[in-house]
Amino acid sequence: IAFGPCTLHEGISRPLSITNTGLLPIELGFLDLPKEVTVEPGKGFACLQPKQTKVFQVNLSLESPGGYDTKIKVMTERNEEYPIKLTATGQKPPLRFSEAVVRLPATSVGDRSTCTLLLSSWSNSRQTYSLDVPAGCGVSVSPKCGEVPPGVQEPLLVSFSPPGKEELAEWERCVDGDTESWHRNVRVTCFIQGYEQVGMMVDIAVCVVPAGLVVVSSEAPATAAPHVGDPGKAADDPKPAKPAKKNAPPASRKHSRKASKVEEPVQDDAAEQQPASAPPSDRGRPHLVAFGSVPALKSVERTVVLKCVRGSAYPVVLPLDPYGPFKVVKPPMAIKAGQICEVVLSFCPMNAAVYTDELVVQNGL
């Protein structure tokens, strides 16, 4: 069996037909296989009836480049031995994924899961690639095409949003108590100019579970903080705060059933000041963390309290804007029913402006 060029660490398969030419049934098996070779189905064991032909798949996965030459043998119950020679050439692909299998966490309908991996170049020249993702699976990869210079690692963002019910009907379904989930493996193929292709498997799952995590309270200052100072002046010598107008419009709020959105307004010297308040802890209402007016270059912290109302919760905070003034000082921890945990946020403005951001807390599984 000549496999030809084989990409390292990726399996390649060739069919092998075996026919029982005798008049009696015969049992056979592939024995003492090298670690690079597997045979399916039945792990290479079968019983053939007279004149029956069975097709086996001989799989080869090489771990080192260069020529490969070995022999495998088929043994029968009568101690007959049939040797088969295998030849192949291991090749390093011009591009390679940092992970051959990407396993994303179970994702609720309406939410999104993401991860980052690297597409590395082993070539001495620029490599052009294009990624192909099966349609309707909810998986997307960005960027889908581009060029990778020699010796460079190109970051790729893999994201997953559960598709509609029609697409989920074809997935593997599992029910565990009050949690319902669907599972599927998706192959992402990378086509490389002048080369065959390399692939990556993405393991995805969709879960539907009753809400078990709520926001109990969002800490806010009892009175308005000083205005944001001029960055050129000392932060500990801010100007006196101006009184707020009676009809000042409230800060805008948005609400999502799956996440609590946090907005932190900060006014400059000419801006109007708004009173800060913590909204009720109803699960169906939005939550606002108001830092008030903070002097430039000064850091202020606020706390959001989460509570698990059923089962167990594994809160996960999605990343904030890395270039923004808001940071997560203390992330949440896993809690059980009736327990609470805290998320501590910090705000450090660089200059006089109004800043907002969104804090999304997911209940990871």
Side-chain angles (χ1 to χ4, degrees), residues 56-128:
F56 294 88
Q57 295 294 329
V58 181
N59 309 309
L60 179 65
S61 178
L62 300 182
E63 299 181 357
S64 58
Y68 181 80
D69 188 339
T70 189
K71 287 184 179 181
I72 60 176
K73 58 183 178 181
V74 181
M75 297 290 296
T76 70
E77 60 181 335
R78 296 191 288 266
N79 205 28
E80 298 170 334
E81 180 178 327
Y82 299 87
I84 302 173
K85 184 178 181 179
L86 308 181
T87 60
T89 302
Q91 292 183 346
K92 279 188 175 182
L95 300 176
R96 181 186 177 188
F97 291 108
S98 58
E99 301 289 341
V101 179
V102 177
R103 291 180 172 85
L104 294 174
T107 308
S108 301
V109 176
D111 285 347
R112 184 168 66 102
S113 297
T114 61
C115 74
T116 302
L117 66 151
L118 300 175
L119 186 62
S120 306
S121 173
W122 289 355
S123 175
N124 295 325
S125 59
R126 300 179 68 90
Q127 297 294 326
T128 303

Side-chain angles (χ1 to χ4, degrees), residues 92-215:
K92 279 188 175 182
L95 300 176
R96 181 186 177 188
F97 291 108
S98 58
E99 301 289 341
V101 179
V102 177
R103 291 180 172 85
L104 294 174
T107 308
S108 301
V109 176
D111 285 347
R112 184 168 66 102
S113 297
T114 61
C115 74
T116 302
L117 66 151
L118 300 175
L119 186 62
S120 306
S121 173
W122 289 355
S123 175
N124 295 325
S125 59
R126 300 179 68 90
Q127 297 294 326
T128 303
Y129 71 91
S130 176
L131 300 176
D132 178 60
V133 182
C137 64
V139 175
S140 63
V141 183
S142 179
K144 294 190 66 175
C145 59
E147 286 187 349
V148 183
V152 173
Q153 294 181 329
E154 182 78 13
L156 299 176
L157 178 65
V158 181
S159 62
F160 169 62
S161 296
K165 293 184 178 180
E166 296 182 358
E167 289 79 5
L168 290 179
E170 301 178 358
W171 293 28
E172 180 183 353
R173 181 172 175 267
C174 179
V175 178
D176 183 11
D178 55 1
T179 302
E180 190 175 15
S181 61
W182 292 264
H183 301 263
R184 180 183 176 184
N185 291 327
V186 176
R187 179 177 175 84
V188 177
T189 304
C190 179
F191 295 95
I192 306 172
Q193 185 177 9
Y195 193 80
E196 292 184 356
Q197 63 186 38
V198 294
M200 169 186 63
M201 295 299 297
V202 180
D203 186 13
I204 52 180
V206 179
C207 66
V208 178
V209 59
L213 188 66
V214 296
V215 177

Side-chain angles (χ1 to χ4, degrees), residues 12 17-18 26 34 62 91 148-149 154 189 214 217 221 232 238 245 288 291 315 328 353:
I12 186 171
S17 300
I18 298 180
I26 187 172
L62 300 182
Q91 292 183 346
V148 183
E154 182 78 13
T189 304
V214 296
S217 66
K245 291 185 178 181
L288 174 69
F291 283 84
V328 178

Side-chain angles (χ1 to χ4, degrees), residues 318-328 357:
L318 298 189
L320 297 172
D321 182 2
Y323 303 102
F326 303 102
K327 306 295 181 184
V328 178
D357 204 341

Side-chain angles (χ1 to χ4, degrees), residues 256-268:
S256 170
R257 292 182 302 169
K258 299 297 181 182
S260 300
K261 295 189 175 181
V262 180
E263 301 181 2
E264 299 89 349
V266 177
Q267 294 87 359
D268 58 15

